[in-house]
Amino acid sequence: MKVPDIEKEIGIDLYTTSTNGIGGTLRQETDDFIVKEITNREEGDTGKYLILELKKSNWETHHLIRDLSRKLGISQKRIGFAGTKDKRAVTTQKISIYDLSLEDINNVTLKDSEINYIGRSDKSVELGDLIGNEFYITVRNTDLSIDELYNQLEIITKDIKQMGGTPNFFGVQRFGSTRPVTHIVGESLVRGNPEDAALKYIASAFPDEPEDTKSARKYVYETRDYIEGLKLYPLRLRYERSMMDYLIKNPDDYSGAFNVLPRNIQRIFVHAYQSYMFNRILCQRIKEGLPLNRAVEGDIVCFRNKAGLPDTSRIQEVTSTNIDGMNNLIKRKRAFITAPLIGYQTEFSSGKPGEIEKKIFRETGFSIEDFKVPSTPELASKGVRREILLHTEPYFKADEDELNPGKSKAVLDFTLPKGSYATTLLREYMKVNPLKMS
């Protein structure tokens, strides 16, 4: 089946389920996408941190935390959370606030959000507290009858269960939903060309952007006239505007232009390029007939930690002498096959998996040392390994779509571990352009 061009641009050029997709549209309504965080925290009645449940609708996490800190008159650094959540969704997660009374929070209201008291703790809510997320997703506006929709959902789900899950691709959100440019910028940075990287980030236009934005980007790309660019670029493009402002004051300091961006944004670029190569390696493994839920000689596996998640700091190579034992652990979800997010400390697999990894890497023309990024060493990445399969068993139902007369809807209920993308599962069901899932 034909894969949308935007997915090919991020390294995904296949589906692993064999039947046609159900089509449809995601997020017609905000509450069509419901996410609840899963943590292993247990709260008490005492401690310096106030622990709260935050339920929000149509809020970007960082923006809500910013507004909440302003209402409370405190620094954002006093508010802790385990992970950012989708904006166009109804999400529930724990947050912590240092040195705050329950009375203080009871006096605060924020639009489209609820804050409920859970308890207190001597430990803030942090990234390591996140185990995964539970999703309750409604796909609307499908052209299939209810019976046809149910049959399609049943076939696709059966395929997914037979494979043990779906490929653990990085979804389009990793690269930019309407403007998948981050990995392209990352490639230029790794090549030691910060000028090209800056220009691509500031001025590369993509088809699904608004016409005025595309026109402004095209002008700057062709002229490098950043003064005029500041007049043309919409205010919402604040990062591009910040970089142009810096370059006006500091001509040709393209590495410095990246330093005006928040640190988490800076890191995205090289990480996105690593993600692009990971997607390509995973696709090539599937094309060459290597399984995702059974190791072959040369694979590198990691082991389950106390929370039941893959621990990529504990890895071991699969050999002819241990392969049966390893596959027994994989079957019991106590071990996981991995592929590399390539960096300057990456050690490739051996055997057939290693041939695939090295082939994809050779095509880039890079050396491992290039990931030290000499032009901007603060963006260097040593690399890590990542599990290749998302273990999930979705539950589904089909029904009449009450918002779209004559259409049907699918409801999917599933959980995913942290660091994975719901769209990597949903794409197998829908088989549509990712913009219909954003």
Side-chain angles (χ1 to χ4, degrees), residues 160-405:
I160 289 170
K161 288 183 177 180
Q162 285 180 340
M163 291 184 294
T166 56
N168 194 17
F169 290 129
F170 285 94
V172 70
Q173 305 97 307
R174 179 77 163 186
F175 309 90
S177 296
T178 58
R179 189 174 177 252
V181 74
T182 52
H183 63 300
I184 300 171
V185 175
E187 180 181 8
S188 292
L189 288 169
V190 175
R191 291 197 189 282
N193 192 340
E195 178 179 356
D196 185 60
L199 191 63
K200 283 177 176 173
Y201 182 66
I202 293 168
S204 287
F206 280 77
D208 295 304
E209 292 188 276
E211 288 301 324
D212 60 338
T213 302
K214 286 192 288 187
S215 176
R217 290 196 196 278
K218 182 179 179 182
Y219 173 82
V220 170
Y221 196 90
E222 293 174 348
T223 65
R224 305 195 186 194
D225 182 351
Y226 301 124
I227 295 175
E228 185 65 21
L230 284 179
K231 299 176 184 176
L232 295 172
Y233 274 44
L235 294 177
R236 68 178 181 277
L237 302 181
R238 61 186 185 279
Y239 295 141
E240 293 94 324
R241 291 176 61 86
S242 294
M243 290 179 73
M244 286 192 289
D245 183 64
Y246 179 89
L247 288 168
I248 291 167
K249 299 170 184 174
N250 305 273
D252 301 325
D253 183 11
Y254 294 98
S255 293
F258 281 98
N259 288 330
V260 305
L261 301 177
R263 182 65 62 179
N264 64 318
I265 300 295
Q266 292 181 45
R267 293 194 183 106
I268 283 175
F269 301 118
V270 174
H271 290 174
Y273 188 64
Q274 294 170 307
S275 303
Y276 165 76
M277 286 191 291
F278 178 92
N279 283 351
R280 290 194 60 206
I281 288 168
L282 192 43
C283 284
Q284 192 63 34
R285 181 185 179 104
I286 295 166
K287 290 176 185 176
E288 298 198 18
L290 270 64
L292 302 182
N293 62 348
R294 190 179 73 255
V296 299
E297 287 185 35
D299 267 323
I300 293 177
V301 303
C302 69
F303 300 97
R304 186 175 69 185
N305 64 16
K306 291 181 180 179
L309 298 172
D311 180 359
T312 54
S313 69
R314 298 170 54 229
I315 59 175
Q316 186 172 343
E317 184 177 358
V318 177
T319 66
S320 59
T321 57
N322 68 16
I323 188 168
D324 290 339
M326 287 296 186
N327 276 321
N328 183 42
L329 291 175
I330 290 167
K331 185 177 181 180
R332 294 159 56 198
K333 298 183 178 63
R334 295 185 63 183
F336 309 87
I337 305 166
T338 68
L341 288 162
I342 298 171
Y344 62 81
Q345 288 187 0
T346 291
E347 293 185 8
F348 293 104
S349 304
S350 59
K352 188 65 176 177
E355 291 176 14
I356 292 170
E357 295 169 9
K358 293 168 189 173
K359 174 180 181 292
I360 297 298
F361 185 58
R362 279 196 305 270
E363 291 175 1
T364 69
F366 288 130
S367 74
I368 291 292
E369 292 295 307
D370 289 332
F371 282 88
K372 292 183 177 178
V373 197
S375 63
T376 44
E378 60 272 20
L379 303 185
S381 180
K382 64 182 180 180
V384 70
R385 297 193 74 88
R386 171 181 168 93
E387 67 275 20
I388 64 172
L389 186 66
L390 272 181
H391 294 283
T392 185
E393 294 189 3
Y395 298 92
F396 65 87
K397 61 182 180 180
D399 208 341
E400 181 181 345
D401 186 351
E402 73 282 5
L403 297 184
N404 301 286

Side-chain angles (χ1 to χ4, degrees), residues 34 60 334:
I34 299 173
E60 199 277 326
R334 295 185 63 183

Side-chain angles (χ1 to χ4, degrees), residues 7 24 39 55 83 96 380 413 420:
E7 290 196 314
T39 79
K55 184 176 181 180
S96 64
D413 184 358
S420 54

Side-chain angles (χ1 to χ4, degrees), residues 20-25 139-144 429-432:
N20 291 330
I22 64 172
T25 303
V139 181
R140 296 189 180 276
N141 205 32
T142 77
D143 292 325
L144 303 173
Y429 281 99
M430 297 174 70
K431 295 185 174 73
V432 297

